[in-house]
Structure formats: structure tokens, C-alpha cells
């Protein structure tokens, strides 16, 4: 969970040959492109399900857990979580934000939101269950699997922490930055709090674990976008157009979150969460598109810009 090493001259990432061959560069490209592909896969799956149900949309992307999208929803979140943990950012702070966002993505996947209550666009309640069908039967009890699945997630977190200590080059923590340390402390406290709720307040965790983990995941992703924008700005080798692109994505994600909050307390329309989540995922994908284009010929940005 440490950042990449600085090149021998301290002025940038080592050339491709210093890594042994071009496989490292190819791996970084694949990780970035993989983020975009995962978002596309989820969108295509939801599009197919919506078409098969007469274009009756669920109230959120999370609600598609209970539809035919079920397997794709879980697979995409777990794959994205793994990619975020594996991916090493250009700075320690960026890297930590990715790590915790990836960990919480697994929780979001394993702890579904509550069964959707279908509503008309004007907010009039219809019935509990999947809008338009088809989907999981109403007798499906996700709570029976949460104990097993989330236990595995937290075991995985412990193993990741252990391996990060054993595999860290030099003295563990020697490359930590001030902001990265703060992100570690906040993320660690939040994760421990989630684990405590899972162990000692399982009913609360089953009802609210998904929402809290999702909020934290998106929060850390947005922070990573802003951290990336800052370091792109101070890196003399980064074009101003990329800095502007990162800032635009960061602003868009913040505006989206603010809009969701305002709409949730002022409007009865039931699809604002779905629209907002789609917007956030599109913005997330755009961020990785920009990263892919900017860093096409290098594994990561100049670490001396930290």
C-alpha cells in the first residue's frame, strides 16, 4: 500500500527498461482501461434488463442487485475493488484513497440495499419487489449470505494489510505522506467501525452497511480525483488540458453529490438516485479515460511532484 519508487535520478519514473520490460507499462494501461470496461459492462447489463422489463427502471443502481443484473452487479463491484487495490497511484495519498475505496467496494457488493419498494414517478407507492421483473424471488433473503460474505471481505482486508507490510520496500511507512497518513487513519477508523457494527450490530449492518460503504467509497474516489488534479498541476510535465479535465471531473462529481442531497429533501421524483449514480459512474469512467490518455507512455506520473 505504498507508492511507487522514484527513479534513480529522482526526477521521474524509471524508464520502461528499468522495470525489466514493457510488461509493467502494459499492465498499468490494462488496469486503467479495465475500470472503464467494468462501468460499460454494468451499463449494458442494466440496459438489457430494463429493455426486458418494459423499460420500468429501478430506483437506484443498487436495486438492480435483485434483478437479472445480480451476478454482473456483484462481479463488477468486486472486480473494480480489486483493480483499485492493485493499482498504485502516482503518490502515496492517491494510492491510499484507491486502496480504501477498493476495500469498501467489496462491502457494497456483498451487502445489498434493502428490497426495492416500487414507486410511480410521482412518488405513489406500488408494491415491494422488482419493478417490471424479472428478478430474484421475493422470498430471497440476502441477510443469510451477508455473514459469510462479509467475513471473507474483512479476512481479505487483514491479509492485504499483512502483505503490504511484508512486501513493502525498505522500512514500512517510510514513504508515507502527511495527507496519506490522514487518509489511512480516517479510512482505518471507518473500516474498523464497519467491522464492529458487523460483529456487534448485525441487524444495523444489514440495513445500513451498503449505504455507508457506498458513500465512503465515492467520497474517497472523489478525493482521489482532486488529489490527482493537484499533483498534475504541480507536475511541470503535465499539460494544462489534463489538469483542466481532472478539475472538471472533480467538480462534476461534487455537484452530482450536492444535487442528490438537495433533490432528496425537496423532490418526490423517485429516480434521482438512479440518475445520480449513473452520472457518478460516467464521471468515474471519464477520469480513467483521461488517466489512460495522459499516462499512455508511462506507468505513473512523476513522483517527485508529491
Amino acid at each position: 500500500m505504498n507508492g511507487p519508487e522514484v527513479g534513480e535520478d529522482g526526477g521521474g519514473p524509471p524508464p520502461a527498461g528499468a522495470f525489466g520490460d514493457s510488461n509493467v507499462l502494459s499492465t498499468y494501461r490494462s488496469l486503467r482501461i479495465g475500470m472503464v470496461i467494468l462501468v460499460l459492462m454494468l451499463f449494458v447489463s442494466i440496459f438489457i434488463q430494463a429493455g426486458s422489463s418494459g423499460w420500468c427502471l429501478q430506483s437506484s443502481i443498487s436495486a438492480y442487485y435483485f434483478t437479472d443484473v445480480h451476478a454482473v452487479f456483484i462481479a463488477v463491484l468486486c472486480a473494480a475493488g480489486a483493480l483499485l487495490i492493485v493499482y498504485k497511484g502516482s503518490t502515496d495519498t492517491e494510492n491510499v484513497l484507491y486502496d480504501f475505496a477498493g476495500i469498501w467496494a467489496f462491502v457494497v457488493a456483498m451487502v445489498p440495499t434493502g428490497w426495492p419498494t416500487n414507486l410511480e414517478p410521482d412518488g405513489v407507492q406500488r408494491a415491494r419487489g422488482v419493478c417490471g421483473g424479472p428478478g430474484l424471488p421475493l422470498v430471497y433473503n440476502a441477510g443469510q449470505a451477508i455473514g459469510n460474505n462479509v467475513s471473507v471481505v474483512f479476512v481479505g482486508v487483514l491479509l492485504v494489510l499483512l502483505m503490504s507490510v511484508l512486501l513493502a520496500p525498505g522500512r514500512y511507512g517510510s514513504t508515507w505522506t502527511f495527507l496519506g497518513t490522514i487518509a489511512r487513519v480516517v479510512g482505518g477508523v471507518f473500516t474498523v467501525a464497519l467491522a464492529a457494527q458487523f460483529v456487534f450490530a448485525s441487524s444495523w449492518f444489514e440495513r445500513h452497511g451498503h449505504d455507508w460503504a457506498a458513500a465512503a467509497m465515492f467520497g474517497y474516489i472523489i478525493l482521489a480525483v482532486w488529489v490527482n488534479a493537484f499533483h498534475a498541476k504541480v507536475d511541470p510535465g503535465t499539460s494544462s488540458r489534463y489538469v483542466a479535465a481532472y478539475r472538471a471531473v472533480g467538480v462534476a462529481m461534487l455537484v452530482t453529490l450536492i444535487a442528490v442531497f438537495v433533490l432528496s429533501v425537496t423532490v418526490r421524483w423517485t429516480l434521482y438516485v438512479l440518475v445520480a449514480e449513473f452520472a457518478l459512474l460516467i464521471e468515474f469512467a471519464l477520469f480513467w479515460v483521461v488517466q489512460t490518455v495522459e499516462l499512455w507512455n508511462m506507468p505513473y506520473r512523476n513522483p517527485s511532484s508529491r
Side-chain angles (χ1 to χ4, degrees):
M1 297 175 71
N2 286 317
E5 296 180 6
V6 181
E8 292 181 1
D9 60 357
F19 292 94
D21 51 38
S22 61
N23 286 345
V24 170
L25 179 58
S26 177
T27 298
Y28 268 87
R29 288 175 180 172
S30 299
L31 289 173
R32 295 177 187 123
I33 295 173
M35 304 284 190
V36 181
I37 292 174
L38 289 174
V39 173
L40 179 61
M41 287 174 59
L42 182 58
F43 281 2
V44 170
S45 183
I46 291 175
F47 180 83
I48 293 173
Q49 195 280 334
S52 67
S53 63
W55 302 105
C56 185
L57 300 174
Q58 308 305 319
S59 57
S60 68
I61 290 179
S62 298
Y64 280 91
Y65 176 98
F66 297 96
T67 71
D68 285 353
V69 181
H70 177 85
V72 175
F73 177 84
I74 295 175
V76 165
L77 276 169
C78 289
L83 291 183
L84 287 168
I85 293 172
V86 169
Y87 187 86
K88 298 304 176 186
S90 297
T91 67
D92 174 64
T93 305
E94 182 186 0
N95 190 51
V96 173
L97 294 171
Y98 290 146
D99 285 342
F100 277 107
I103 289 170
W104 297 328
F106 280 94
V107 178
V108 175
M110 301 303 175
V111 184
T113 185
W115 264 97
T117 299
N118 293 327
L119 305 173
E120 297 287 359
D122 61 1
V124 177
Q125 180 171 323
R126 289 209 302 265
R128 176 178 179 270
V130 173
C131 173
L136 300 180
L138 282 172
V139 295
Y140 177 80
N141 183 6
Q144 294 179 351
I146 288 177
N148 178 298
N149 296 342
V150 177
S151 296
V152 173
V153 170
F154 285 122
V155 168
V157 170
L158 292 176
L159 290 175
V160 167
L161 292 174
L162 177 62
M163 295 305 295
S164 68
V165 173
L166 295 177
L167 300 179
R171 184 173 60 85
Y172 184 72
S174 60
T175 61
W176 289 8
T177 60
F178 175 72
L179 291 179
T181 301
I182 292 177
R184 280 184 178 87
V185 172
V186 174
V189 169
F190 181 82
T191 303
V192 169
L194 271 184
Q197 293 295 330
F198 170 65
V199 174
F200 300 108
S202 57
S203 59
W204 181 96
F205 186 85
E206 182 177 339
R207 293 194 308 272
H208 304 293
H210 177 95
D211 294 335
W212 280 89
M217 179 187 70
F218 276 120
Y220 262 41
I221 287 174
I222 293 174
L223 286 175
V225 172
W226 279 99
V227 167
N228 200 281
F230 172 78
H231 288 291
K233 182 178 184 300
V234 300
D235 181 1
T238 301
S239 170
S240 59
R241 68 176 181 271
Y242 292 119
V243 177
Y246 291 131
R247 286 177 173 174
V249 173
V251 169
M253 297 186 89
L254 282 176
V255 169
T256 301
L257 285 182
I258 293 173
V260 170
F261 175 76
V262 173
L263 289 172
S264 67
V265 297
T266 60
V267 180
R268 294 188 66 188
W269 187 53
T270 60
L271 297 180
Y272 65 84
V273 173
L274 178 67
V275 172
E277 288 178 341
F278 264 104
L280 284 171
L281 287 177
I282 291 172
E283 291 152 4
F284 174 76
L286 284 175
F287 168 72
W288 288 105
V289 168
V290 176
Q291 284 263 282
T292 301
V293 174
E294 182 207 350
L295 304 177
W296 184 258
N297 293 317
M298 63 184 74
Y300 41 79
R301 191 178 294 108
N302 185 351
S304 67
S305 65
R306 291 190 264 204

